[in-house]
Amino acid sequence: MSSAPIPWKHVRNVLVVFAPLWMGATVLFAFVGVCVALFSSDIYSARLPLVVRNEATSSLERLGRFSSQTELKSAQETILEMTQNPEVVAAALRQIGPASGKDDPTWPSSEVVDRIAKDAVNLLAPQGSEFGSTEVVYLQVKSTQQQRAVDFCKAMFDNLTLHLRNIRRVRADSVITELTQARDLAQQNLDAAAARMHVYEVKFAADLGELRNLNDAIAGDGTNRRTLEETVRELQIAELDLEKLYALRDLLVVGSENPDHLLASGSDLLSLQPSLLRLKDGLIDAQIRSSELAANRTPNHPILQNAQSTEQEIRSRMQEEARVAVKAMEPTLKQEAERVSRLKTRKEQLTSRLEALAAARTDYANVDAEVKHRTTLLETAEKALTEAQASRTAALSTNLVAELGPPQVSDKPIGPGGTLVTLGSASAGLLFGLGAVFLIAPGPSESRKGRRWSDYLQRGGRRHSDQMGTVDVAAVAPTAIAVERRAPR
């Protein structure tokens, strides 16, 4: 079941009866709106377009450009945080002074700084987009005057860039301190590794090149190894020569007793003794001649005897020459023996040096690798330190936030005007009054209980009609009882 519609007559009566309520609320709210419009100040907005770039020393491939959207967004959020920093806002307010133009040593107070930082200063992305989509942002400030808004915007930009420089300088100082410690530690480690390497270099000073060649994978044979190979070849040749000399001496010793042994020997040994080789050839020729003469002559033939005498003389000369050659060979044998001994000694020395180098190769390779590694770390630390020092120097002279033009101030005050505030307040009062009327007014079919709001203004809180028609119950009660008894039954 649905309720019956409210008749318009009842609505009109209710509005007429409760007219003071809703009209009073409308007037009251309108008065409040007028007061707000009269005593409030106009607010003007000024915007300054800015472009944000990265540090040029951060990347050699993308000078001044951010490597990612996340990095750009982080930088812009940092600028937003610095824009609403109380120190930046307070410095800008001190720069433009109070709005009254009077010198106030207490200007600005902390309450004013916090209020302006929260309500009148902001950093916006263009066209309502999010940070990180473009490098251009807008610095927005609000003030009660157009020129003051422009001055405040310029002061905010100046102090913002100044504090951003301080941030870069503080960050660079902390990084420089850290990198300096890293550089010093790398230098200490390099010095310690170089000291250990110096011990090996002093120990193997003569063979330093050979020791370094052992660590080089593409290096050829070292000097010691080539010298050892040459020494081994010379030793082999010297030992062969010495063996030949000893064999020749033994042959000469035997030949000094029996020349026939010299005849049976080859020409290689006797090539060192040309006179014996000549006598050998002569003896052979003499023997051939004696044999030829003995074939057709008698043993007593003078020619045969002369040939045999010649043969015997050559034999004697060969024996004598052999004995002289044996004595003459002693210095040569001694010299060759000393040469072989020297070559053996040199071979042993070179072998020992190569063995020592081979034994020290592993430790030296480790130390050498450590020195190279420490050198690389030191170079990296010095490079990073140089970049940090360059960043600190740039932080004192350059800005990462640049203005694209002058501040742009609004021609009209932002927000609702005085007329709109008054009309809005009056409308709110009317709605409030009507809502209160329909909240307390009775319905068309409702029997009202209690008193109206106007009844409480009367004396005793009762209606005037009720006061005029009041009857004394104690006085009329006996009369009513008597009438009831006389009534017929």
Side-chain angles (χ1 to χ4, degrees):
M1 297 179 63
S2 61
S3 60
I6 301 176
W8 289 106
K9 182 179 180 181
H10 175 73
V11 174
R12 184 188 62 184
N13 292 335
V14 169
L15 293 178
V16 171
V17 173
F18 291 94
L21 177 60
W22 59 268
M23 292 181 64
T26 303
V27 173
L28 179 61
F29 276 68
F31 177 74
V32 174
V34 171
C35 293
V36 171
L38 291 177
F39 292 100
S40 62
S41 301
D42 295 335
I43 303 298
Y44 293 89
S45 175
R47 302 177 66 184
L48 179 64
L50 306 175
V51 61
V52 183
R53 70 172 179 86
N54 195 11
E55 295 183 4
T57 57
S58 61
S59 177
L60 297 178
E61 297 178 356
R62 300 175 58 88
L63 294 177
R65 300 295 301 275
F66 291 92
S67 59
S68 64
Q69 184 178 2
T70 303
E71 187 177 354
L72 174 60
K73 183 177 180 181
S74 177
Q76 292 176 347
E77 289 179 351
T78 302
I79 298 175
L80 172 61
E81 184 67 22
M82 290 303 302
T83 302
Q84 298 179 345
N85 192 323
E87 295 183 1
V88 178
V89 177
L93 291 176
R94 284 192 297 268
Q95 182 176 344
I96 64 176
S100 61
K102 299 180 181 180
D103 293 336
D104 187 1
T106 62
W107 171 264
S109 62
S110 58
E111 293 80 4
V112 173
V113 171
D114 294 338
R115 177 174 56 82
I116 294 179
K118 181 179 180 181
D119 301 332
V121 178
N122 197 4
L123 189 71
L124 304 175
Q127 299 180 356
S129 59
E130 296 182 355
F131 285 148
S133 60
T134 177
E135 296 179 355
V136 179
V137 292
Y138 288 91
L139 174 63
Q140 183 181 34
V141 299
K142 298 177 183 178
S143 184
T144 56
Q145 301 174 4
Q146 288 184 331
Q147 186 60 38
R148 184 173 177 83
V150 173
D151 296 339
F152 186 33
C153 189
K154 292 181 179 179
M156 280 295 301
F157 174 73
D158 295 338
N159 289 276
L160 176 61
T161 54
L162 179 61
H163 280 73
L164 288 176
R165 286 182 183 179
N166 292 333
I167 289 178
R168 293 173 59 197
R169 180 184 58 79
V170 171
R171 182 177 61 184
D173 289 340
S174 62
V175 172
I176 287 174
T177 302
E178 181 179 354
L179 292 178
T180 301
Q181 295 178 356
R183 191 271 312 273
D184 294 341
L185 181 60
Q187 185 66 49
Q188 293 176 2
N189 294 333
L190 178 60
D191 293 340
R196 292 194 298 271
M197 189 174 185
H198 180 69
V199 174
Y200 286 96
E201 291 180 348
V202 171
K203 182 178 180 180
F204 300 98
D207 302 327
L208 185 59
E210 183 74 19
L211 183 60
R212 291 177 178 176
N213 287 333
L214 292 177
N215 295 327
D216 196 353
I218 61 175
D221 293 336
T223 304
N224 290 335
R225 188 171 298 278
R226 291 195 298 269
T227 304
L228 177 61
E229 293 177 355
E230 294 176 359
T231 302
V232 170
R233 287 195 297 269
E234 292 179 3
L235 178 60
Q236 292 175 352
I237 295 174
E239 289 178 345
L240 290 176
D241 293 340
L242 183 60
E243 290 179 357
K244 288 182 179 180
L245 290 176
Y246 279 118
L248 179 58
R249 187 191 65 176
D250 295 339
L251 178 61
L252 293 176
V253 170
V254 175
S256 62
E257 298 177 356
N258 187 4
D260 293 335
H261 291 283
L262 296 177
L263 296 177
S265 64
S267 300
D268 294 336
L269 292 177
L270 293 179
S271 61
L272 300 176
Q273 299 293 331
S275 58
L276 285 176
L277 184 59
R278 182 73 176 272
L279 291 173
K280 174 184 176 182
D281 294 336
L283 180 60
I284 293 173
D285 294 339
Q287 289 179 346
I288 293 173
R289 182 174 178 77
S290 296
S291 297
E292 290 177 354
L293 293 175
N296 52 17
R297 288 179 177 80
T298 60
N300 296 324
H301 194 277
I303 297 177
L304 179 59
Q305 290 181 355
N306 188 20
Q308 291 176 352
S309 298
T310 302
E311 179 183 353
Q312 188 63 33
E313 183 65 23
I314 293 174
R315 285 177 175 274
S316 299
R317 291 288 304 273
M318 287 183 65
Q319 291 178 350
E320 185 65 24
E321 189 68 25
R323 287 192 290 268
V324 173
V326 168
K327 293 180 180 180
M329 287 181 61
E330 294 297 332
T332 304
L333 289 173
K334 183 179 180 181
Q335 183 179 0
E336 289 296 326
E338 291 177 355
R339 178 189 174 193
V340 171
S341 178
R342 287 195 304 270
L343 292 175
K344 288 182 178 180
T345 303
R346 184 190 302 177
K347 176 184 175 182
E348 293 176 357
Q349 291 177 353
L350 292 174
T351 303
S352 300
R353 291 166 66 176
L354 290 176
E355 290 177 354
L357 292 175
R361 175 184 176 277
T362 303
D363 295 337
Y364 182 79
N366 294 333
V367 174
D368 185 45
E370 184 179 1
V371 169
K372 292 180 180 178
H373 178 64
R374 298 299 182 186
T375 303
T376 303
L377 292 180
L378 180 59
E379 292 176 354
T380 304
E382 289 181 347
K383 180 180 179 181
L385 180 59
T386 303
E387 292 179 354
Q389 292 174 347
S391 177
R392 185 186 186 280
T393 304
L396 300 177
S397 58
T398 60
N399 296 326
L400 299 184
V401 179
E403 53 183 343
L404 296 179
Q408 304 170 359
V409 65
S410 58
D411 296 333
K412 298 180 179 180
I414 61 175
T419 303
L420 184 60
V421 171
T422 303
L423 292 177
S425 300
S427 301
L430 178 60
L431 293 176
F432 178 79
L434 293 177
V437 167
F438 285 102
L439 181 64
I440 65 177
S445 60
E446 179 183 0
S447 59
R448 185 170 181 84
K449 297 181 181 180
R451 303 297 180 186
R452 295 193 298 267
W453 65 275
S454 59
D455 295 339
Y456 293 98
L457 301 177
Q458 303 296 329
R459 189 175 181 181
R462 301 177 64 187
R463 296 187 183 94
H464 181 69
S465 59
D466 293 341
Q467 293 177 0
M468 294 299 294
T470 302
V471 180
D472 191 357
V473 179
V476 300
T479 305
I481 293 174
V483 172
E484 183 181 359
R485 288 179 180 180
R486 287 195 299 268
R489 297 183 177 180

